[in-house]
């Protein structure tokens, strides 16, 4: 199965919820799955989440994504601007050049 790389372009928690759900589904089907948080989207790593009744909150979804093998990559510039550390957020730090250089035959989705 072809891989899936998703770029999150802004700090919208609803979009991030959709991205994590899509990433978990793709990983369950056996493809390489990566989520890249671009610039301001990095703040989603620490954003509070009020999940709709009966659904997991963002930290729980992120744990499911981690367990599913989804690679979470945070923009290095975004991390610096938000005053966050990749190590403390348990993500890889990266940039768009490296992301696109390693795209291979992944499908690319931007949300």
């Amino acid at each position: 199965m072809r891989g899936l790389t998703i770029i999150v372009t802004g700090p919208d928690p609803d979009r991030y919820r959709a991205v994590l759900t899509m990433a978990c589904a793709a990983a369950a089907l056996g493809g390489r799955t990566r989520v890249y948080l671009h610039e301001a989207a990095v703040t989603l790593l620490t954003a509070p989440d009020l999940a709709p009744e009966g659904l997991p909150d963002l930290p729980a979804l992120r744990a499911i994504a981690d367990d599913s093998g989804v690679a979470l990559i945070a923009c290095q510039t975004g991390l610096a601007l938000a005053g966050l550390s990749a190590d403390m957020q348990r993500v890889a730090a990266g940039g768009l050049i490296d992301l696109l250089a390693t795209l291979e035959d992944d499908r690319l989705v931007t949300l």
Side-chain angles (χ1 to χ4, degrees):
M1 174 173 182
R2 289 177 58 194
L4 177 64
T5 296
I6 306 169
I7 299 174
V8 183
T9 61
D12 181 337
D14 291 330
R15 285 182 185 227
Y16 187 47
R17 172 180 296 288
V19 165
L20 290 176
T21 303
M22 185 187 317
C24 288
L29 292 171
R32 173 179 83 155
T33 309
R34 303 183 301 170
V35 172
Y36 178 79
L37 300 172
H38 182 64
E39 293 180 356
V42 168
T43 61
L44 290 165
L45 294 170
T46 60
D49 177 44
L50 301 175
E53 184 68 30
L55 294 177
D57 62 15
L58 287 177
L61 269 177
R62 183 162 168 213
I64 294 167
D66 288 344
D67 291 345
S68 299
V70 174
L72 194 58
I73 306 161
C75 171
Q76 293 168 317
T77 301
L79 285 167
L81 290 172
L84 298 174
S85 158
D87 291 338
M88 291 188 68
Q89 299 303 317
R90 300 179 341 270
V91 297
L96 280 174
I97 292 173
D98 185 58
L99 187 78
L100 295 175
T102 59
L103 194 60
E104 299 173 7
D105 68 342
D106 284 6
R107 292 160 293 168
L108 181 64
V109 175
T110 302
L111 289 172

